[in-house]
Amino acid sequence: MLALTAYLALLALMLVWQLQWSQTSELSPLFRVLLWVVPLLFPLVGIIRGKPYTHAWANFILMWYFLHSLTLLYVAPEQRHLAIGELLLTTLAFIGCTGYARNQGRALGLGLKKLKKD
């Protein structure tokens, strides 16, 4: 539930942020949505369906938002409140996705096979 809730909240935050709160940006709204919202849509179906593999690789996408929030905290004090929200949601989604992938993967017998010693 943590992974799904935080992921959907991050998706909603990015959508509202790019369409409503970034009106002063010189980039077009379509470009901002393509850059910040569309990547979150790629693993969405797998996360909703509860697939452990999708939860695992969604963390790679979440790192894009983690780095974005840390950068904004440093360079854009006027957007600090949004960056803190993005950082919090990204961290929660990362923890939730990692935990779900690990626990559900073990329950399903998925994982890396150990090499046999000769």
Side-chain angles (χ1 to χ4, degrees), residues 18-34:
Q18 299 308 317
L19 292 177
Q20 289 293 106
W21 296 326
S22 288
Q23 298 301 327
T24 59
S25 176
E26 63 276 355
L27 302 173
S28 74
L30 176 62
F31 181 75
R32 289 193 317 260
V33 166
L34 289 174

Side-chain angles (χ1 to χ4, degrees), residues 71-111:
T71 303
L72 281 182
L73 283 172
Y74 183 72
V75 301
E78 69 279 355
Q79 294 186 355
R80 188 164 286 150
H81 62 288
L82 294 170
I84 290 171
E86 182 183 14
L87 181 63
L88 178 67
L89 291 173
T90 302
T91 303
L92 290 173
F94 183 84
I95 291 168
C97 284
T98 301
Y100 184 84
R102 183 179 181 143
N103 293 335
Q104 198 63 16
R106 282 184 180 167
L108 295 173
L110 304 174

Side-chain angles (χ1 to χ4, degrees), residues 26-81:
E26 63 276 355
L27 302 173
S28 74
L30 176 62
F31 181 75
R32 289 193 317 260
V33 166
L34 289 174
L35 185 65
W36 295 109
V37 176
V38 170
L40 288 171
L41 298 177
F42 293 137
L44 186 60
V45 173
I47 289 175
I48 290 172
R49 290 184 181 168
K51 297 188 177 204
Y53 184 76
T54 306
H55 280 79
W57 69 260
N59 285 332
F60 292 110
I61 294 173
L62 289 171
M63 287 301 102
W64 169 256
Y65 298 91
F66 186 79
L67 292 173
H68 177 253
S69 63
L70 289 177
T71 303
L72 281 182
L73 283 172
Y74 183 72
V75 301
E78 69 279 355
Q79 294 186 355
R80 188 164 286 150
H81 62 288

